[in-house]
Amino acid sequence: MPTLAERDHAVLWHPYTQMQTAPLPIPIVRGEGSWLIAEDGTRYLDGISSWWVNLHGHAHPHIARRVSEQLSTLEHVLFAGFTHPTAVELAEQLLEILPQNQARVFYSDNGSTAVEVALKMVLQYFHNQGQPERRTFLCFRDSYHGDTFGAMAVSSRGAFTQPFWPLLFDVEFIDVPVPGREAEVLAQLDAALARPEAAGFIFEPLVLGTAGMVMYAPEILSEMLRRCHQRGVLCIADEVMTGFGRTGPLFASELLTEQPDMMCFSKGLTGGTLAMGLTTCAAPIYTAFLSDDKMKALFHGHSYTANPVACAAALASLELTRTEGCTAQRQRIAAAHAAFRQEMDGLPGIRQVRQQGTILAVEYDPGEGTSYFSRLRDTFYQLAIDSHVVLRPLGNVVYLLPPYCTTHEELELLYAVLRRMRELVLNHIPAANLPEYLHD
Ligand SMILES: Cc1ncc(COP(=O)(O)O)c(C=O)c1O
């Protein structure tokens, strides 16, 4: 009798996985708080919220109840010509807590589609106003905004996108204004903004996730947005990862003094329960699509746009996120991370420790450049799994992004693994012990 993992291996194709060399996947049959429970009963501590989506713990009873009620009330209805209570309520509640200039909500299916919608809104905003020549996007050289074609085009020209480079539209890349590089980046931005085609600037506010949890300050980002606005360039905050409390405040953009024109959300939107994306925009963008001319409408939509069950999950998760208890949990995790950062900062084997709210990243010093394909990656991954902890190192950068319900004791288990990774680096693991394959 084949195991579940063997049956999987016979029929499935996993994302970001070299199927020829990857070990069999770990079969998970249940989730409970910060834990994932395998078929054989082994419990794994989810240190990265299952690809950054989970906020309040797995199989949360409040979200489960709301989803179940919605399922037996209205499971789906097309969203052109029709509406339903949960879509309206979610949009109303979000606009209450988003930066004040955000006026409209457009639903889609995931983070990539939320980005696609924002890009299309920018292009058509200028098109509808008779300026189709304004069609160039500015973005950070190391950014990641998703895997669909538009999202890839505004993402780093790295290993993920290489086979598709010839088909990706041209963008203006600028460096990330990490501390010490601000003036240089502002000069790059000014040069890019001098081009008459400049239309939009898309960015991950404060933390570039996939780039390796690269962090930069709200002050410099605010200044960048100010300069964009002076040139009429629309600014898109991709809060797919940073949204819903990850960086401290509910949204990273709250720390800015200059507000984005559009925002993208997914991941934590439903508390990690169901796939959903949304794009919000300021009023002038929306009004640029209003006309007697039908051709000025936004021709974008997905069959499952504003799915009522996903909206119900998002409402239930939002209710939990807005409690004082959740704020206290996030503050507790941030404080624990800050203490751990102090402990590790400057130690041999550590290049840098970065933290923003509940996100902690340790950049180990492998004696070579920082890279997603660092040979340390697989060794670190295996060490975590052997310790019954789920982490997905970004090369030699290992980060924690735990569900907010993660307890002090559970955080200590995660920190212990990070300490052991440093020992491994210090002991100069011989190259022969480093697996050659990449299953990522
Ligand atoms: C900042 C950011 N934007 C967009 C995406 C794409 O989201 P999805 O994987 O839901 O398509 C991601 C995914 O990691 C992300 O981190």
Side-chain angles (χ1 to χ4, degrees), residues 94-105 203 225 229 234-237 253-254 256-263 265 280-286:
L94 283 172
L95 292 180
E96 250 174 49
I97 55 175
L98 285 173
Q100 265 194 339
N101 68 339
Q102 299 300 297
R104 291 279 160 175
V105 173
F203 53 91
L225 298 202
H229 285 154
L234 299 176
C235 298
I236 308 168
S253 299
E254 281 177 36
L256 304 177
T257 50
E258 185 84 12
Q259 289 307 323
D261 304 286
M262 277 171 249
M263 300 177 79
F265 302 98
T280 63
C281 71
I285 296 159
Y286 175 69

Side-chain angles (χ1 to χ4, degrees), residues 51-52 109-113 115 144-147 204 209-210 238-242 266-267:
W51 258 345
W52 320 344
D109 290 352
N110 53 59
S112 303
T113 56
V115 167
Y144 175 78
H145 295 289
D147 289 345
E204 297 165 75
T210 306
D238 176 351
E239 293 237 20
V240 166
M241 193 267 289
T242 53
S266 187
K267 293 198 185 275

Side-chain angles (χ1 to χ4, degrees), residues 178-238:
V178 292
R181 295 206 55 203
E182 292 92 342
E184 203 182 326
V185 173
L186 283 181
Q188 291 177 12
L189 177 71
D190 287 343
L193 288 175
R195 290 182 54 179
E197 316 86 76
F201 169 41
I202 182 163
F203 53 91
E204 297 165 75
L206 310 191
V207 187
L208 278 77
T210 306
M213 300 297 160
V214 173
M215 301 184 188
Y216 64 108
E219 292 77 17
I220 181 66
L221 182 56
S222 297
E223 176 58 21
M224 293 175 81
L225 298 202
R226 202 182 58 77
R227 291 184 188 206
C228 285
H229 285 154
Q230 275 178 346
R231 292 275 303 121
V233 166
L234 299 176
C235 298
I236 308 168
D238 176 351

Side-chain angles (χ1 to χ4, degrees), residues 320-334:
L320 297 172
T321 308
R322 293 177 80 179
T323 58
E324 280 176 18
C326 181
T327 308
Q329 282 177 328
R330 301 202 309 270
Q331 285 167 349
R332 175 180 52 75
I333 292 174

